Amino acid sequence: MSEDSSRRRRASDDDDARPVTAAGRRRRADAAGNGSGGDATDTASGRSSGSSGKGTATPTRDRTQESQGSVFARLRRFLREVVAELRKVHWPTRRQIVVYTFVVLVFVSFMVALVAGLDWVFAKAVFALFG
């Protein structure tokens, strides 16, 4: 899909303009990061040294390190990671839960009434048509 040429902005025209293409965003990140145009990639970690971590693939893990350890150690690590992820969750307040529950109940009752009404109308139409 081609973009409208009048909407495109060049960095030389307006330095604060938001880049339109992904290539423009990469150039801006490279210019802001390390000043070099090339992509300096660290081969050990697989990360680009010039970027802030966005736009690069996550390096693969070494599977041999992951499978080491006893079953209990792996289970303990799994449970620690579960707790860490649950701490990141935005838990709704009691008031939000009450409001959301009310909204769901109203919507479900509306849909039940709609389906029941349509069922009644179609039943009357079929009975009138076929007697």
Side-chain angles (χ1 to χ4, degrees):
M1 186 162 47
S2 65
E3 295 173 323
D4 185 14
S5 61
S6 65
R7 294 181 67 195
R8 285 190 189 165
R9 295 182 183 172
R10 296 194 183 274
S12 61
D13 296 341
D14 186 10
D15 289 337
D16 294 331
R18 187 172 171 188
V20 177
T21 63
R25 287 190 291 273
R26 282 193 297 271
R27 276 192 298 267
R28 174 175 266 177
D30 284 343
N34 59 2
S36 67
D39 188 19
T41 303
D42 183 13
T43 56
S45 67
R47 292 182 186 236
S48 174
S49 63
S51 67
S52 62
K54 276 191 166 184
T56 59
T58 303
T60 57
R61 292 188 198 172
D62 188 14
R63 294 282 182 195
T64 58
Q65 291 177 352
E66 232 176 74
S67 62
Q68 290 178 351
S70 68
V71 174
F72 296 111
R74 285 185 284 165
L75 180 63
R76 191 173 342 130
R77 178 179 172 209
F78 172 74
L79 292 175
R80 270 196 329 258
E81 290 178 4
V82 167
V83 170
E85 288 298 321
L86 286 175
R87 286 185 179 146
K88 296 178 187 177
V89 173
H90 170 74
W91 295 100
T93 63
R94 185 178 191 89
R95 178 177 166 81
Q96 288 173 329
I97 289 177
V98 169
V99 169
Y100 297 158
T101 303
F102 180 73
V103 168
V104 167
L105 290 176
V106 167
F107 178 75
V108 168
S109 56
F110 171 76
M111 292 305 293
V112 166
L114 179 70
V115 170
L118 289 174
D119 181 51
W120 182 79
V121 167
F122 287 133
K124 289 293 184 179
V126 168
F127 185 72
L129 187 64
F130 295 112

